[in-house]
Amino acid sequence: MAEAIRFHETGGPEVLKLETVEVGAPAAGEVRVRHQAVGLNFADTYYRTGLYPVPLPNGMGVEASGVVTAVGDGVDDFVPGDRVTYTYTGSPLGAYSTDFVLPARHLITLPDEISFETAAACTMRGLTASYLMRRIYPYREGDTILLHAAAGGVGLIVAQWAKLLGLTVIGTVSTPEKAAVAKAHGVDHVIYYRSEDTAERVRELTDGRGVPVVLDSIGAATVDASLNSLARRGLLVCFGTSSGPIPPIDPMQLAIKGSLFVTRPGLADYIADPAERAELAAELFGHIAAGRIRIEVNQTYPLADAARAHKELESGTLTGSSILLP
C-alpha cells in the first residue's frame, strides 16, 4: 500500500486529500518508483481547479524524484535501484505520492551529484529554463532580456543561465524581498511590476530601444507591458499564465508595435524527443553539479500538507522552488 494526494472534485486547496492507495506491479513499458521528493508546480493548481480537465477522482502532480523499485516487461534502460527523476504533462497524474507506477519513457537518469530534493525542485523548472535559454531564441552576448517573475523557481534558474550567456537581465518582482533574491541570482535591474510602468522602465534602461526578448510566465496581468517592452521585431515568449489566460492578441497590433513575434511554447514539445530531452537535462545537471546554477529549495512541506502548499503557492509570496516530502 502507498499514500497519495487525490481529489474527487475540482475547487480550492481543500479538495486535496491524503488517501491510502494500492499501487500494483508495473505493466509492460512501465516502472514503479519509490518517491524521495515531489515537485510542487503552479500548473498543478490548474488540474485542481479544473482549468486543465481530467477524469475524477484523480491523483495530483507530474514531477518527482526517487528510486526504481520494479520494472515491467520491455523496460531495458532502467533496473531496480536506479536513481531517477521525471516530469511530464498530462496523464497520468499521481506524483504526489509515496510510490507511483508510470511509463518508463518519462524517466531521466539522475546523476549521483544531484540530490533527490534538488531534482524534484528543478526537473520541470530546469528543463523549462533549458529550452528558454537554448531553443527559443539565438541569444547573443550583450543582449538584454526582460524576465517576469524573476524570483520564482524558473526565474532564478533563467537569470543564472542568462548570466552564463553574457546577457543583461531586467527582472520584474512584486516585493523588495523578492528583489533581493532576484539580484542575488544575477538579475541586473529590478522593476516592481505592480507599482511601476514596466515598459517605460525598460525603455529607460535600454536607451529607448526595448528588449529583443521578453520571457513572460505571468500572462494576463503583464502581456500588454511585455509587448510594449519589445524592440522592433522582438519576441514575446508566453510560457505561463499564473495571473490568468492571455486575452486574444490582434495581429495588426503586432505590426503597429514593431513587427513583433509571439510564441506560446509548452515544455512537452521540447522534451518529446528523448535525445533532445537528454541533451537539455545533461546541460542543466552539469551546470548544477558544477555550481554554476544554484537551485533554491526555499519551501518544503510534508506530503500530507499538500493543501497548505497549494494555498501558499497561489498566494504569490513564495520564492524559488517548493517540494513535498513523502
Side-chain angles (χ1 to χ4, degrees):
M1 301 298 286
E3 291 187 323
I5 296 293
R6 293 176 60 78
F7 64 117
H8 294 254
E9 61 182 337
T10 58
E14 69 280 356
V15 303
L16 301 178
K17 305 295 183 182
L18 183 67
E19 300 178 1
T20 299
V21 298
E22 182 72 36
V23 179
E30 294 182 335
V31 295
R32 177 169 172 161
V33 178
R34 170 65 56 86
H35 289 156
Q36 302 297 312
V38 176
L40 178 68
N41 296 287
F42 203 90
D44 297 342
T45 69
Y46 299 158
Y47 293 105
R48 193 203 74 227
T49 61
L51 182 62
Y52 291 172
V54 293
L56 297 177
N58 214 313
M60 176 58 62
V62 295
E63 176 184 34
S65 63
V67 177
V68 174
T69 57
V71 301
D73 291 341
V75 176
D76 300 320
D77 296 332
F78 299 95
V79 298
D82 282 350
R83 303 174 78 249
V84 295
T85 187
Y86 66 82
T87 185
Y88 57 89
T89 58
S91 182
L93 300 180
Y96 286 22
S97 59
T98 56
D99 299 83
F100 190 44
V101 171
L102 73 159
R105 67 179 182 274
H106 294 310
L107 296 188
I108 300 170
T109 299
L110 183 61
D112 291 340
E113 299 84 359
I114 309 298
S115 72
F116 292 116
E117 293 78 10
T118 295
C122 81
T123 300
M124 177 176 283
R125 295 172 177 87
L127 289 174
T128 298
S130 188
Y131 85 71
L132 289 174
M133 290 290 95
R134 287 307 201 190
R135 297 291 189 272
I136 211 77
Y137 183 83
Y139 301 101
R140 296 177 298 179
E141 184 174 358
D143 281 345
T144 298
I145 64 172
L146 174 62
L147 172 64
H148 286 293
V154 175
L156 294 182
I157 302 173
V158 167
Q160 294 174 84
W161 207 317
K163 301 313 293 181
L164 296 177
L165 299 180
L167 309 183
T168 296
V169 182
I170 302 172
T172 70
V173 297
S174 57
T175 67
E177 292 77 16
K178 290 188 175 184
V181 171
K183 288 181 178 179
H185 289 79
V187 172
D188 299 282
H189 308 284
V190 166
I191 297 174
Y192 296 99
Y193 75 94
R194 290 177 178 170
S195 59
E196 296 185 272
D197 186 316
T198 297
E200 183 178 302
R201 287 284 292 125
V202 167
R203 297 289 173 180
E204 291 174 358
L205 293 167
T206 58
D207 296 324
R209 295 186 303 273
V211 295
V213 179
V214 175
L215 302 178
D216 190 342
S217 62
I218 298 178
T222 51
V223 63
D224 288 340
S226 294
L227 290 170
N228 292 332
S229 296
L230 285 168
R232 181 177 287 116
R233 293 163 62 181
L235 172 66
L236 169 57
V237 184
C238 302
F239 68 99
T241 54
S242 63
S243 68
I246 297 169
I249 296 174
D250 180 359
M252 184 55 67
Q253 288 300 310
L254 299 179
I256 292 171
K257 293 178 183 293
S259 298
L260 305 181
F261 296 85
V262 177
T263 184
R264 202 330 181 170
L267 175 60
D269 294 312
Y270 288 86
I271 61 174
D273 177 3
E276 183 170 30
R277 181 181 63 190
E279 181 180 348
L280 293 174
E283 184 170 6
L284 168 68
F285 291 144
H287 285 318
I288 295 170
R292 293 185 292 267
I293 290 179
R294 307 191 314 276
I295 303 300
E296 302 293 347
V297 185
N298 291 344
Q299 296 83 211
T300 61
Y301 304 88
L303 180 64
D305 284 351
R308 176 168 66 91
H310 270 226
K311 182 177 180 180
E312 295 183 3
L313 179 65
E314 291 177 304
S315 73
T317 61
L318 305 185
T319 61
S321 298
S322 305
I323 60 173
L324 300 166
L325 297 178

